[in-house]
Amino acid sequence: MNSGFFGAFGGRYVAEVLRGPLDELDLAFQEASRDATFWEEFHRIGAEYVGRPTPLLFAENSTRELGGARLYIKLEGLANTGAHKINNAVGQALLARRMGKHRIIAETGAGQHGLATAAICAKLGLECTVYMGEVDINRQRPNVYLMEVFGATVVPVASGSRTLKDAVNEALRDWAGSYDTTHYIIGSALGPSPYPDMVREFQSVIGQEVVRQLSEREVTPTAMVACVGGGSNAIGFFAPYLEREAPRLIGVEAGGRGPEPGQHAARLNGLGRTGIVQGYKSLFLLDDDGQVSHTHSVSAGLDYPGVGPQLAWLGEQGRIEFRTATDEQALEAVQFFARNEGVVFALESAHGGYQAMQLARSLSSNDAVVVNMSGRGDKDLFITARELMPETWHEFLVSEATSIAASLEEGRSR
Ligand SMILES: *Cc1c(COP(=O)(O)O)cnc(C)c1O
């Protein structure tokens, strides 16, 4: 068993009050890991509820169009609730139930993790509270709506920059006072130990399926590509290959509008600095005062100043290569795969998609590149539509707003 460190990164830098609950969680996770019935339940819910295994698509048209390596897409976004986040939420919710905790808390930024958590809580009959920054609530109203449909309570966070990191702080504060009854489900492969290990194990179902799906087709991959926010879809997708020398593993970060401070979320491409934030040591985007910097990405899920400690370490070791894709390149990839394959990548996943396209072009037909489509793009409708068809979309929204205003007015005058 490791100490919770990956080289110099990781660890457990938390207030005294959280040591007990983290020890308890660590022990419960280790016990569950050795218990075949726990994994049976995890895989049963995976099959019956999440929709596993998710398909591996041979992207035949894209391959022809790009004229290089054969391109495969792991359609993880076909999982229930639209992204890989559900794998971790299911695993941790089952663990919470095993620990006798009936209440779940979670933080969310874009809302995908909140949505996955709210959904599995509804399924397992657990009480669910999701902390979300006020700014994010305003940006991601459709996901807030869905969380509430699932019966979760969404608590607006008004402190700090009113975004994801503030939601994490608020969730930690709640947990410090409620751990007797409550489990905190962190949404990515980061935070204090044992979260990075635990989240990787639950997400590694993605990579295990890919290994099987490729071997059934007798394909040996040259490279695997995944987008990197906190790092959970990437580490889960790469997991079975980490100890091997091949294939190449490529993580893609948000290049945003460019390399100027505040305009991107590229921590692993030489711009991040070692720091300790929110309970773990890793690479973060920090300003000259050591404060966490603002970040930008068109994809809310990659817009985070820190990264999972294991990825930081694997980058340092050279096992994983890191690249970026800009906002514009991600949008280009969304359109490319929509037109060629009839699948809509989430904006996050499209960062990986863009670099997979570049890589495929540069390789030959003897090579195979596999990209993880971590989510599907339905959730991005309000972002992509205004970029891709601003006028039509504006007209539609105005007409919707007018019609809602009219029925509200009618209700009032009745
Ligand atoms: C949250 C999210 C991400 C980023 O999170 P990771 O932990 O880096 O995987 C990527 N893709 C989608 C679709 C997401 O919802």
Side-chain angles (χ1 to χ4, degrees):
M1 214 39 223
N2 70 47
S3 56
F5 278 95
F6 307 92
F9 301 117
R12 187 186 288 179
Y13 299 86
V14 294
E16 198 58 37
V17 60
L18 287 176
R19 291 190 173 274
L22 286 167
D23 281 338
E24 183 194 359
L25 179 60
D26 201 357
L27 196 67
F29 174 60
Q30 287 180 38
E31 281 172 7
S33 296
R34 290 189 294 264
D35 181 352
T37 62
F38 177 81
W39 292 109
E40 267 163 35
E41 178 79 343
F42 177 75
H43 289 296
R44 186 182 65 79
I45 291 181
E48 293 180 3
Y49 174 74
V50 178
R52 310 214 67 88
T54 56
L56 180 70
L57 171 71
F58 174 46
E60 206 173 346
N61 305 323
S62 309
T63 296
R64 199 181 322 112
E65 183 82 17
L66 296 166
R70 283 165 295 147
L71 190 60
Y72 293 83
I73 306 172
K74 176 65 169 167
L75 294 176
E76 188 61 20
L78 298 196
N80 190 11
T81 67
H84 69 290
K85 296 272 185 346
I86 190 74
N87 303 322
N88 170 51
V90 167
Q92 287 201 49
L94 287 174
L95 195 59
R97 200 172 65 177
R98 191 184 163 94
M99 294 167 75
K101 318 266 176 183
H102 60 79
R103 178 173 175 262
I104 296 293
I105 54 174
E107 84 293 341
T108 200
Q112 289 304 111
H113 172 55
L115 186 63
T117 302
I120 191 61
C121 285
K123 170 101 182 81
L124 297 182
L126 298 163
E127 194 187 322
C128 180
T129 298
V130 178
Y131 289 95
M132 189 167 184
E134 281 180 347
V135 169
D136 289 331
I137 288 183
N138 290 333
R139 282 194 294 212
Q140 308 289 340
R141 183 58 68 178
N143 274 341
V144 177
Y145 164 76
L146 284 172
M147 284 182 250
E148 289 175 349
V149 167
F150 284 129
T153 306
V154 180
V155 179
V157 175
S159 55
S161 58
R162 299 178 290 147
T163 59
L164 180 58
K165 75 175 168 48
D166 312 291
V168 173
N169 289 338
E170 221 40 61
L172 285 169
R173 196 163 305 147
D174 178 319
W175 203 35
S178 66
Y179 55 80
D180 279 347
T181 59
T182 300
H183 173 61
Y184 174 20
I185 303 188
I186 290 184
S188 191
L190 41 70
S193 162
Y195 282 103
D197 283 319
M198 200 164 66
V199 176
R200 181 199 58 241
E201 287 309 298
F202 294 138
Q203 292 294 2
S204 67
V205 64
I206 308 171
Q208 288 156 9
E209 285 175 9
V210 171
V211 167
R212 245 188 343 266
Q213 289 165 325
L214 287 174
S215 94
E216 277 163 17
R217 298 179 208 186
E218 299 180 12
V219 173
T220 306
T222 312
M224 317 271 298
V225 186
C227 66
V228 179
S232 68
N233 88 88
I235 201 77
F237 182 59
F238 296 158
Y241 301 101
L242 292 175
E243 307 278 307
R244 309 185 199 172
E245 277 177 25
R248 285 170 67 187
L249 304 176
I250 298 167
V252 186
E253 300 183 279
R257 300 189 191 100
E260 299 76 30
Q263 298 300 316
H264 62 87
R267 305 127 309 180
L268 295 154
N269 280 279
L271 298 168
R273 288 158 51 181
T274 302
I276 297 172
V277 179
Q278 292 179 328
Y280 65 106
K281 187 189 272 191
S282 190
L283 293 173
F284 294 89
L285 291 171
L286 303 174
D287 66 18
D288 291 337
D289 297 330
Q291 296 292 316
V292 172
S293 305
H294 286 290
T295 52
H296 163 82
S297 170
V298 66
S299 64
L302 302 188
D303 190 357
Y304 182 67
V307 69
Q310 191 171 10
L311 284 185
W313 180 69
L314 288 162
E316 199 179 78
Q317 300 290 301
R319 179 64 190 98
I320 302 183
E321 305 160 48
F322 290 98
R323 298 186 181 177
T324 60
T326 63
D327 289 353
E328 220 167 283
Q329 291 168 337
L331 276 163
E332 183 189 325
V334 169
Q335 286 174 291
F336 177 85
F337 289 112
R339 298 241 167 105
N340 283 296
E341 302 298 336
V343 293
V344 183
F345 274 56
L347 280 166
E348 291 82 0
S349 324
H351 288 70
Y354 180 81
Q355 285 297 351
M357 287 161 63
Q358 302 312 306
L359 194 65
R361 278 196 184 104
S362 73
L363 297 171
S364 83
S365 60
N366 296 325
D367 294 298
V369 172
V370 190
V371 61
N372 190 31
M373 188 187 86
S374 53
R376 60 175 186 257
D378 315 31
K379 69 176 179 64
D380 299 322
L381 194 62
F382 281 84
I383 300 163
T384 50
R386 65 184 286 171
E387 295 286 335
L388 302 179
M389 46 171 75
E391 271 153 36
T392 328
W393 189 243
H394 177 247
E395 252 168 57
F396 165 69
L397 290 180
V398 168
S399 108
E400 277 295 289
T402 312
S403 131
I404 295 173
S407 45
L408 284 174
E409 191 56 40
E410 205 179 286
R412 267 195 291 275
S413 63
R414 216 179 274 131

Tab-separated table of all heavy atoms in Angstrom, residues 82-85 112-113 187-189 227-234 301-302 346 348-349 374-376 379, ligand 1:
chain	number	residue	atom	x	y	z
A	82	GLY	N	-24.471	11.300	-18.937
A	82	GLY	CA	-23.751	11.973	-20.005
A	82	GLY	C	-22.246	12.096	-19.906
A	82	GLY	O	-21.632	12.717	-20.773
A	83	ALA	N	-21.631	11.519	-18.880
A	83	ALA	CA	-20.173	11.613	-18.771
A	83	ALA	C	-19.643	10.513	-17.855
A	83	ALA	O	-20.414	9.782	-17.229
A	83	ALA	CB	-19.770	12.983	-18.236
A	84	HIS	N	-18.323	10.428	-17.785
A	84	HIS	CA	-17.662	9.415	-16.951
A	84	HIS	C	-17.859	9.650	-15.461
A	84	HIS	O	-17.613	8.762	-14.658
A	84	HIS	CB	-16.167	9.414	-17.258
A	84	HIS	CG	-15.498	10.678	-16.781
A	84	HIS	ND1	-15.708	11.903	-17.371
A	84	HIS	CD2	-14.658	10.914	-15.740
A	84	HIS	CE1	-15.019	12.827	-16.727
A	84	HIS	NE2	-14.370	12.262	-15.738
A	85	LYS	N	-18.280	10.844	-15.041
A	85	LYS	CA	-18.387	11.183	-13.623
A	85	LYS	C	-19.215	10.154	-12.842
A	85	LYS	O	-18.990	9.931	-11.664
A	85	LYS	CB	-19.016	12.565	-13.451
A	85	LYS	CG	-18.207	13.712	-14.026
A	85	LYS	CD	-17.227	14.224	-13.028
A	85	LYS	CE	-16.441	15.455	-13.430
A	85	LYS	NZ	-16.421	15.916	-14.787
A	112	GLN	N	-21.577	18.631	-13.820
A	112	GLN	CA	-21.624	17.229	-14.252
A	112	GLN	C	-21.437	16.268	-13.071
A	112	GLN	O	-22.106	15.241	-12.999
A	112	GLN	CB	-20.539	16.951	-15.303
A	112	GLN	CG	-20.796	17.589	-16.643
A	112	GLN	CD	-22.130	17.193	-17.207
A	112	GLN	OE1	-23.035	18.018	-17.297
A	112	GLN	NE2	-22.284	15.936	-17.554
A	113	HIS	N	-20.522	16.611	-12.169
A	113	HIS	CA	-20.316	15.746	-11.010
A	113	HIS	C	-21.519	15.826	-10.061
A	113	HIS	O	-21.954	14.814	-9.510
A	113	HIS	CB	-19.017	16.122	-10.287
A	113	HIS	CG	-18.844	15.400	-8.989
A	113	HIS	ND1	-18.889	14.017	-8.892
A	113	HIS	CD2	-18.658	15.845	-7.719
A	113	HIS	CE1	-18.731	13.663	-7.622
A	113	HIS	NE2	-18.596	14.746	-6.900
A	187	GLY	N	-15.207	14.919	-6.854
A	187	GLY	CA	-15.542	14.601	-8.236
A	187	GLY	C	-14.398	14.302	-9.174
A	187	GLY	O	-14.617	13.955	-10.338
A	188	SER	N	-13.133	14.422	-8.725
A	188	SER	CA	-12.033	14.087	-9.620
A	188	SER	C	-10.923	13.389	-8.834
A	188	SER	O	-11.033	13.242	-7.615
A	188	SER	CB	-11.521	15.339	-10.333
A	188	SER	OG	-10.634	14.957	-11.370
A	189	ALA	N	-9.872	12.986	-9.543
A	189	ALA	CA	-8.823	12.175	-8.905
A	189	ALA	C	-7.843	13.077	-8.165
A	189	ALA	O	-6.652	13.092	-8.452
A	189	ALA	CB	-8.110	11.322	-9.952
A	227	CYS	N	-8.664	14.153	-22.334
A	227	CYS	CA	-8.583	15.515	-21.801
A	227	CYS	C	-8.313	15.453	-20.298
A	227	CYS	O	-8.601	14.455	-19.644
A	227	CYS	CB	-9.879	16.273	-22.078
A	227	CYS	SG	-11.325	15.620	-21.217
A	228	VAL	N	-7.731	16.532	-19.777
A	228	VAL	CA	-7.376	16.564	-18.359
A	228	VAL	C	-7.907	17.828	-17.695
A	228	VAL	O	-7.442	18.937	-17.986
A	228	VAL	CB	-5.837	16.511	-18.175
A	228	VAL	CG1	-5.495	16.564	-16.685
A	228	VAL	CG2	-5.259	15.252	-18.796
A	229	GLY	N	-8.909	17.635	-16.828
A	229	GLY	CA	-9.328	18.713	-15.930
A	229	GLY	C	-8.633	18.420	-14.606
A	229	GLY	O	-7.450	18.675	-14.426
A	230	GLY	N	-9.351	17.811	-13.672
A	230	GLY	CA	-8.709	17.310	-12.460
A	230	GLY	C	-7.942	16.029	-12.741
A	230	GLY	O	-7.017	15.667	-12.029
A	231	GLY	N	-8.356	15.320	-13.795
A	231	GLY	CA	-7.606	14.156	-14.233
A	231	GLY	C	-8.276	12.811	-14.075
A	231	GLY	O	-7.636	11.782	-14.291
A	232	SER	N	-9.579	12.772	-13.733
A	232	SER	CA	-10.161	11.462	-13.426
A	232	SER	C	-10.466	10.615	-14.663
A	232	SER	O	-10.269	9.406	-14.640
A	232	SER	CB	-11.413	11.605	-12.566
A	232	SER	OG	-12.473	12.213	-13.271
A	233	ASN	N	-10.941	11.237	-15.752
A	233	ASN	CA	-11.205	10.385	-16.921
A	233	ASN	C	-9.886	9.915	-17.517
A	233	ASN	O	-9.760	8.771	-17.952
A	233	ASN	CB	-12.136	11.084	-17.936
A	233	ASN	CG	-11.426	11.948	-18.956
A	233	ASN	OD1	-11.009	11.468	-20.015
A	233	ASN	ND2	-11.247	13.231	-18.646
A	234	ALA	N	-8.865	10.777	-17.491
A	234	ALA	CA	-7.568	10.396	-18.047
A	234	ALA	C	-6.939	9.251	-17.240
A	234	ALA	O	-6.540	8.232	-17.807
A	234	ALA	CB	-6.631	11.610	-18.070
A	301	GLY	N	-15.564	22.071	-17.443
A	301	GLY	CA	-14.972	20.944	-16.730
A	301	GLY	C	-13.441	20.909	-16.740
A	301	GLY	O	-12.832	20.173	-15.975
A	302	LEU	N	-12.821	21.703	-17.605
A	302	LEU	CA	-11.348	21.732	-17.623
A	302	LEU	C	-10.805	22.992	-16.956
A	302	LEU	O	-9.604	23.179	-16.829
A	302	LEU	CB	-10.814	21.667	-19.064
A	302	LEU	CG	-11.215	20.467	-19.916
A	302	LEU	CD1	-10.441	20.475	-21.228
A	302	LEU	CD2	-11.012	19.153	-19.180
A	346	ALA	N	-18.464	16.275	-25.803
A	346	ALA	CA	-18.508	17.372	-24.837
A	346	ALA	C	-17.312	18.285	-25.132
A	346	ALA	O	-16.289	17.824	-25.644
A	346	ALA	CB	-18.394	16.819	-23.413
A	348	GLU	N	-15.138	19.488	-23.181
A	348	GLU	CA	-13.949	18.990	-22.482
A	348	GLU	C	-13.283	17.919	-23.343
A	348	GLU	O	-12.102	18.010	-23.688
A	348	GLU	CB	-14.347	18.368	-21.125
A	348	GLU	CG	-14.840	19.350	-20.074
A	348	GLU	CD	-16.313	19.703	-20.256
A	348	GLU	OE1	-16.956	19.189	-21.192
A	348	GLU	OE2	-16.813	20.513	-19.444
A	349	SER	N	-14.062	16.897	-23.673
A	349	SER	CA	-13.551	15.755	-24.433
A	349	SER	C	-12.987	16.181	-25.785
A	349	SER	O	-12.063	15.554	-26.311
A	349	SER	CB	-14.668	14.741	-24.674
A	349	SER	OG	-15.534	14.659	-23.570
A	374	SER	N	-14.987	11.665	-23.045
A	374	SER	CA	-15.391	11.560	-21.635
A	374	SER	C	-16.851	11.943	-21.409
A	374	SER	O	-17.478	11.486	-20.469
A	374	SER	CB	-14.491	12.439	-20.769
A	374	SER	OG	-14.456	13.760	-21.275
A	375	GLY	N	-17.370	12.805	-22.288
A	375	GLY	CA	-18.771	13.206	-22.131
A	375	GLY	C	-19.377	13.521	-23.483
A	375	GLY	O	-18.664	13.699	-24.470
A	376	ARG	N	-20.705	13.578	-23.522
A	376	ARG	CA	-21.363	13.972	-24.763
A	376	ARG	C	-21.792	15.433	-24.664
A	376	ARG	O	-21.948	15.972	-23.572
A	376	ARG	CB	-22.528	13.049	-25.094
A	376	ARG	CG	-23.619	12.995	-24.053
A	376	ARG	CD	-24.787	12.140	-24.545
A	376	ARG	NE	-25.902	12.193	-23.629
A	376	ARG	CZ	-26.213	11.224	-22.780
A	376	ARG	NH1	-25.482	10.128	-22.712
A	376	ARG	NH2	-27.257	11.342	-21.989
A	379	LYS	N	-25.006	18.735	-23.027
A	379	LYS	CA	-24.950	19.704	-21.935
A	379	LYS	C	-24.387	21.056	-22.373
A	379	LYS	O	-24.556	22.052	-21.681
A	379	LYS	CB	-24.083	19.139	-20.808
A	379	LYS	CG	-22.614	19.065	-21.204
A	379	LYS	CD	-21.704	18.603	-20.087
A	379	LYS	CE	-20.261	18.532	-20.533
A	379	LYS	NZ	-19.656	19.817	-20.902
B	1	LIG	C1	-15.686	16.916	-15.420
B	1	LIG	C2	-15.386	16.546	-16.793
B	1	LIG	C3	-14.057	16.474	-17.282
B	1	LIG	C4	-12.874	16.873	-16.474
B	1	LIG	O1	-12.673	16.125	-15.321
B	1	LIG	P1	-11.548	15.010	-15.207
B	1	LIG	O2	-11.539	14.714	-13.749
B	1	LIG	O3	-10.275	15.619	-15.686
B	1	LIG	O4	-11.953	13.867	-16.032
B	1	LIG	C5	-13.852	16.026	-18.565
B	1	LIG	N1	-14.882	15.698	-19.379
B	1	LIG	C6	-16.162	15.782	-18.956
B	1	LIG	C7	-17.246	15.410	-19.913
B	1	LIG	C8	-16.465	16.204	-17.669
B	1	LIG	O5	-17.743	16.286	-17.261
